Amino acid sequence: MNTIAEPFLLDPDITYLNHGAFGACPRPVLDAQARLRAEMERGPVRFLNGVLEKRLDAARAVLAAFAGARREDLVFVTNATAGVNAVVRSLQFSPGDEILTTNHAYNACKNAIDWVAARTGARVVVATVPFPLAHEDEIIDPVLGGVTARTRLALIDHVTSPTALIFPVRRLVAALEAAGVDVVIDGAHAPGMVPLDLAALDAAYYTGNCHKWLCAPKGAGLLVTRADRQAELVPPVISHGMNAPRTDRSRYHLLFDWAGTSDPSPWLCVPDAIAVLEGFLPGGIAELRARNHELAVAGRRLLLERLGIAPPCPESLLGSIATIPLGAGDSVALHHALYDRHRIEVPCFPWPTFGRRCIRISAQIYNSIEDYARLADALAVELS
Ligand SMILES: Cc1ncc(COP(=O)(O)O)c(C=O)c1O
């Protein structure tokens, strides 16, 4: 960790290289959340039935501006898993319909489409994207090759979880929509890691997390739905919005903005998280993104060189996480050894298509190149 780590509560004895799984939230954002919670507990009715809606609208406006989305199209969800569930469980599928995804999809979201398919007689088609790979066309070609006359929906990751690839979503959405296929983008890692212009992307559905690379409190996600697809969408939890007689807000907002009593502070703190991240470096979040990318790339280079491994993908397909394939072996044991003996938190997992162990590094403001050197030293010991 480096000196900019001060605002984070991370254990200084641990080298934290898994911001990709669970982002660390800076202290000023947690302080803002604590203030909100205190306000809520001082007058729960006034807060939840009174000021909440306006506060939500204000937070929504800030996040929409950040993501290049129309605020009418954006709702908060608890996380990207909930966003994907809302979409796929709202749609009507018929026997023989096809839902297209890739072998890089996140397990939880793949489970959601598998479940919907099993209930409706639809079929999940998994396009095989190779890894290692050398060019983004190796992503485009298999996905488009998986489209048939029965394809109704494609679940496409923006930044893949196991392989840490930035998928070319602009090209994919354009081609899939042109083929008459609605796309739900799983952008769990994207906000804060890659620039977003969701209105220009114009996917039918885009969901993502604010609690990863935007460093918001856990439980903050977004779902952006194109105007022509909002009428058919319901949230994972049906509540008062379903029969609300109000006409001053869209049904889409009424349905998603209230999902029963819960703590709305993660959503309301998204503007605080954006402000804190904007303030870390003179160039704001754009500079932070670039710095994190350069550090992830430098960390990957160092590890590849020290371990004698060929790059599994071009640097241009990386954001601020990077996956490095290792030799065969027990990934759970390696994860434990790195944590217990070397005090390094880094994910280790198998990648089934070529049956090897992988690690995935991450780079956030609190990391420095020494963190990856420490990991290389530890791997030299554990893999010998
Ligand atoms: C691609 C992808 N989708 C979805 C998720 C799920 O995120 P959450 O647990 O916040 O819903 C993750 C989590 O790492 C992910 O990497």
Side-chain angles (χ1 to χ4, degrees):
M1 272 193 225
N2 59 31
T3 48
I4 319 179
E6 199 273 324
F8 291 89
L9 276 66
L10 289 166
D11 182 345
D13 293 334
I14 300 293
T15 300
Y16 195 68
L17 294 176
N18 198 359
H19 196 97
F22 302 116
C25 185
R27 200 183 303 269
V29 180
L30 293 170
D31 290 346
Q33 184 179 30
R35 286 193 296 275
L36 270 173
R37 284 174 165 161
E39 187 186 343
M40 178 167 68
E41 294 310 325
R42 213 176 132 79
V45 174
R46 266 202 62 75
F47 192 89
L48 291 167
N49 282 349
V51 299
L52 176 59
E53 203 166 83
K54 274 202 166 55
R55 302 269 184 99
L56 263 183
D57 285 346
R60 182 188 345 258
V62 172
L63 181 57
F66 176 80
R70 293 172 357 123
R71 65 180 79 170
E72 310 87 281
D73 298 346
L74 189 147
V75 288
F76 286 102
V77 287
T78 309
N79 47 51
T81 309
V84 168
N85 269 272
V87 173
V88 301
R89 295 171 72 176
S90 292
L91 302 179
Q92 306 282 333
F93 293 97
S94 306
D97 282 350
E98 291 174 3
I99 306 172
L100 177 63
T101 192
T102 77
N103 56 329
H104 296 236
Y106 187 70
N107 177 62
C109 301
K110 168 74 166 38
N111 283 343
I113 56 175
D114 283 344
W115 185 82
V116 165
R119 280 175 63 104
T120 58
R123 200 165 77 83
V124 172
V125 174
V126 179
T128 302
V129 172
F131 186 73
L133 83 181
H135 193 273
E136 70 175 36
D137 286 349
E138 293 175 71
I139 302 164
I140 304 271
D141 294 344
V143 172
L144 298 187
V147 174
T148 74
R150 298 306 306 263
T151 312
R152 289 273 325 283
L153 183 75
L155 168 66
I156 302 292
D157 292 59
H158 195 164
V159 182
T160 62
S161 174
T163 46
L165 299 167
I166 300 176
F167 272 12
V169 290
R170 276 196 89 131
R171 286 181 67 194
L172 285 168
V173 169
L176 288 164
E177 296 271 347
V181 178
D182 272 1
V183 183
V184 50
I185 300 283
D186 174 359
H189 289 276
M193 186 200 282
V194 294
L196 291 177
D197 186 351
L198 297 185
L201 182 65
D202 207 26
Y205 315 96
Y206 189 106
T207 188
N209 282 328
C210 304
H211 51 225
K212 287 188 190 282
W213 295 92
L214 272 185
C215 297
K218 284 150 196 71
L222 64 105
L223 173 63
V224 171
T225 308
R226 210 172 53 212
D228 61 342
R229 293 293 184 265
Q230 288 169 17
E232 61 195 319
L233 221 59
V234 290
V237 175
I238 306 287
S239 185
H240 297 302
M242 190 56 96
N243 64 348
R246 294 172 60 179
T247 52
D248 59 320
R249 301 169 76 75
S250 69
R251 179 175 179 276
Y252 175 59
H253 281 191
L254 288 167
L255 277 169
F256 277 86
D257 286 357
W258 184 262
T261 308
S262 67
D263 178 359
S265 63
W267 299 352
L268 299 181
C269 286
V270 168
D272 301 274
I274 292 173
V276 168
L277 259 58
E278 287 287 6
F280 274 145
L281 297 172
I285 290 182
E287 185 180 347
L288 177 65
R289 257 195 325 253
R291 179 210 178 265
N292 290 343
H293 167 71
E294 279 154 26
L295 185 57
V297 163
R300 187 182 84 143
R301 269 191 219 136
L302 184 155
L303 284 156
L304 293 175
E305 217 172 278
R306 289 274 304 273
L307 300 170
I309 296 171
C313 71
E315 290 173 357
S316 59
L317 293 183
L318 295 176
S320 43
I321 51 178
T323 291
I324 297 165
L326 305 173
D330 181 344
S331 53
V332 175
L334 180 61
H335 178 253
H336 286 313
L338 290 172
Y339 190 84
D340 296 341
R341 292 196 206 126
H342 305 276
R343 315 307 282 155
I344 299 172
E345 182 68 85
V346 67
C348 309
F349 50 89
W351 175 244
T353 53
F354 61 149
R356 288 197 280 177
R357 276 189 298 195
C358 295
I359 53 170
R360 190 187 69 189
I361 56 169
S362 65
Q364 184 47 288
I365 186 77
Y366 51 77
N367 293 116
S368 57
I369 194 68
E370 288 75 27
D371 294 337
Y372 311 95
R374 203 168 301 122
L375 175 59
D377 291 342
L379 287 170
V381 173
E382 296 304 329
L383 301 180
S384 64

